[in-house]
Amino acid sequence: MSRTRLAATAIGLAGALAASQAQAQSASNSEQEIALLKQQLKLLEQKLDKLQSQTAANTAATAKAKAEAKAEAKAEARSEAKAVVANANAAIPLKGPAPASGVVVTMPNNRPTICTADQANCVAITSRLHYDIGGYDYRPNTAATVPQKLDSGENVRRARIGVTGKFFHDWNFALIYDFGGSSDGFGGAAAGSLPGGGVSGVENAYISYTGLKPFGGRMAVEAGIMDLPYTLDEATSSNDILFMERASPGVVATNIAAGDFRSAAGTRWYNDQLWIGGYVTGPSTGAIHSASSAAPAGTSEQYGAVARVAGNPISGKDYSVHIGADAQWLIQPPRNLIANTQTVTLSDRPELRLDPTTLISTGAIANVSGAQVYSLEAAATYGPFIVQGEYFWYNVDRTANTSVPLVGAPSLKFQGGYAQAGYVLTGETHTYNAGNAAYGGIKPAHPFSLDGGGWGAWEIAGRFSTIDLNDQLATANGVAGGRQNVYTLALNWYVNGNVRFMLDYLHGDISRQASAVSSANVGSKFDAVAMRTQFAF
């Protein structure tokens, strides 16, 4: 019976009681009827209490039953799920933990590099592109000046790709080919052809052992085709130099028995403050060395040596000082086995390679028995500011007996040098590379990004270079190679760690006479503007 029905029954009884009371009053208040009604009311109240208790008990029992049924259903569902999982596990074979990878692939400075997990063996792809465009305003002093004009245009100065890496921690290697130099020389054998244009583009092909660490430093014993870290400017990567071309005095020196593409064997030792190295050198790649060839003429191989001592004796958080000294010896010059001549030529283009023509040159110096170059180098940094300079003394011995005049002529002496400075407008600094005893390039603190708001790093620089290839003028033994002064201003934009744009302005003055015994003016002047687009990794 519901609570509503019980309430209705109670109300009805109450109404009946009231009616009975009314009747009793009307019948002279019969005591018997009142007593009877009270007894009936009490019985009804007891029955109502019993019914309410029974209703509450029924409700609790129903809730308990529902809860028990729900719990039983959940338990049954869990049991069924466990059975399904067990069946699935039984159907699929268990696998052990995945084995550790045998290689690690990384991209340091965006250079793809693959190494074994223990870093003992690595191989990396490396590349660089230096693409130049520009033009000359060339002004010969007289009609007798050679050349009468220079060609403006473009030049793929460097286009290198190759691999570098190591074996078993200590055996380092490199194999790099250069497809560049599209107008760097003609290389023809016909009369009137200009020198240059390498037959071979192998720029690096060497192996180096670095397992020895004497005197608390690091040591490399290496051999092959390599970039020799001879002179401060040459020890600085072409990716990091302040100007599109290195200064002519250093280029003339390295072309004798050092420089890029040079076969060599030697060693270098260094720590954070001192660098000492020495190499025996041979011909550059592409050089002719044949005992029987007639066209082009068979030529013996040349041999030389270089030595360098340099260091960073003073350095701090935002400053450093570098000093050094270099020596180079051409021990055995190349010999033309057909004409029986032994010559060396000192020359360079006007610090820009759009046109391969040289404006200063000694010409082929006859009867060369050897040559020496001695030089001093210095540099310093203070925050974003860098200064650098080198000076060179060249000596060419002419005592070879080839039966070609001039026999027994006195040695020739030349000299030249440069000074340069740079300032990074955005505050970055050139860090010191102890492995080459030279300064590295700029890594922008905020690489250029239209989304991120960075503008890369900006640098301004200036340089003055001079070289004098005149000696013993007004004598038959003299050489009139000319004197060249070049002033260069540069603006460099380091977009990020891999891309750089360079803008150079050059003003050159070449003072030259027709020959050692003729003072006729065959000099020239020029202005040039050129831009380089560069990427490297």
Side-chain angles (χ1 to χ4, degrees), residues 24-115:
Q25 289 177 356
S26 62
S28 303
N29 297 323
S30 175
E31 293 294 335
Q32 293 180 353
E33 292 180 359
I34 293 173
L36 179 63
L37 290 172
K38 286 181 177 180
Q39 184 178 4
Q40 292 177 348
L41 180 60
K42 185 176 181 179
L43 292 172
L44 288 172
E45 287 177 351
Q46 292 176 351
K47 189 175 182 179
L48 179 61
D49 291 339
K50 185 178 180 180
L51 289 173
Q52 287 177 342
S53 299
Q54 184 177 356
T55 301
N58 291 340
T59 302
T62 302
K64 182 178 180 181
K66 289 182 177 180
E68 290 176 350
K70 186 175 182 181
E72 184 178 355
K74 286 184 177 180
E76 185 177 354
R78 289 193 192 100
S79 178
E80 292 178 355
K82 288 181 180 179
V84 171
V85 172
N87 292 336
N89 288 338
I92 300 175
L94 294 177
K95 293 183 179 180
S101 175
V103 298
V104 177
V105 180
T106 58
M107 292 282 288
N109 197 33
N110 291 323
R111 175 180 290 183
T113 304
I114 302 174
C115 295

Side-chain angles (χ1 to χ4, degrees), residues 346 362 365 370-374 391-398 409-416 467-473 477-483:
L346 307 186
T362 61
I365 301 174
Q372 307 84 41
V373 182
Y374 304 101
Y391 205 84
F392 300 83
W393 294 269
Y394 315 86
N395 184 77
V396 180
D397 298 322
R398 298 185 287 178
S411 297
L412 295 168
K413 300 183 184 301
F414 312 109
Q415 60 182 316
I467 185 169
D468 186 353
L469 296 182
N470 295 321
D471 190 32
Q472 302 173 31
L473 297 180
N477 295 328
V479 169
R483 181 185 182 97

Side-chain angles (χ1 to χ4, degrees), residues 163-237:
V163 294
T164 64
K166 63 180 179 179
F167 301 121
F168 300 100
H169 293 290
D170 300 324
W171 294 93
N172 302 274
F173 67 89
L175 180 59
I176 301 172
Y177 196 91
D178 192 348
F179 296 90
S182 59
S183 67
D184 224 12
F186 303 108
S193 294
L194 295 181
V199 178
S200 173
V202 177
E203 194 263 344
N204 268 294
Y206 70 85
I207 190 166
S208 173
Y209 180 70
T210 57
L212 302 175
K213 297 176 175 61
F215 310 110
R218 287 154 285 185
M219 187 174 183
V221 181
E222 45 205 1
I225 307 299
M226 64 185 74
D227 298 334
L228 292 174
Y230 162 76
T231 80
L232 177 56
D233 217 9
E234 184 66 27
T236 304
S237 169

Side-chain angles (χ1 to χ4, degrees), residues 343-355:
T343 64
V344 166
T345 301
L346 307 186
S347 65
D348 189 36
R349 283 146 284 203
E351 299 182 2
L352 190 61
R353 300 294 183 95
L354 300 177
D355 189 303

